Structures are given as structure tokens and as C-alpha cells.
Amino acid sequence: MNRKNKAVSFNTGDPHELALVEHAERVNPLTGKPQNFSKYVKRLIEEDMKKEQSGNHPTGYTIIDSPKFNEDEDYTLEVKSAMNSFL
């Protein structure tokens, strides 16, 4: 089977991250079941790819303004590399 699993963790002690996970796990009113998290994330990635291809997303990175943003902890290695290439 050709599968690649990627973990996403949420700090449920942080109100912002708790709101994110609750939103992602909300129940479909038609089926009464939680939405499929994997499909939801894949749809978000696909939308991001379409923005990038259309030229509305020139850097290829989405900048998220987090209320508890800490530059040293919250930047991914890819974003740091991209930012350093502009310096």
C-alpha cells in the first residue's frame, strides 16, 4: 500500500488551537458524523495549490497570524530558508 501519513498536533490548552481542532472535527449535519479530517486537510492543500498556480500566492507559503506567534518556534525550516533567500 502506497500511503504517507503526516501527523498534525494541536495544543488543546491553547484556546486558538483548540478552536482549530474543534472546527476541523465538527459534525456533518446531514450524516451526523464528524467530517473526514484527512479529506478536509487535502482539500485545504488543494485550494492552496490552486492559489499558487493562479499567481495569487506568489511565494508558495501561507502566512498565518497566530495570536501566540513566536518567531523562533513557529517558523518552519522551509519558511526560514525562503526568507533567508530574500536577505
Side-chain angles (χ1 to χ4, degrees):
M1 189 177 231
N2 294 327
R3 290 257 181 222
K4 184 170 190 171
N5 293 315
K6 302 296 272 183
V8 179
S9 62
F10 297 91
N11 176 358
T12 56
D14 177 339
H16 177 71
E17 288 196 23
L18 179 60
L20 293 175
V21 74
E22 287 174 347
H23 178 81
E25 293 179 334
R26 66 187 182 266
V27 173
N28 180 328
L30 298 176
T31 64
K33 296 179 182 178
Q35 72 175 339
N36 183 309
F37 182 80
S38 180
K39 286 183 182 180
Y40 180 62
V41 171
K42 290 174 189 176
R43 253 193 328 269
L44 292 174
I45 294 169
E46 184 176 19
E47 288 173 16
D48 190 52
M49 289 172 65
K50 287 178 182 177
K51 285 180 189 176
E52 186 175 323
Q53 291 169 354
S54 70
N56 293 332
H57 198 314
T59 64
Y61 295 99
T62 302
I63 304 300
I64 299 173
D65 184 19
S66 171
K68 292 192 174 203
F69 178 73
N70 179 326
E71 181 176 322
D72 293 331
E73 296 175 6
D74 292 352
Y75 275 139
T76 64
L77 181 59
E78 294 85 4
V79 173
K80 282 184 179 177
S81 297
M83 291 183 72
N84 289 337
S85 70
F86 292 110
L87 302 177

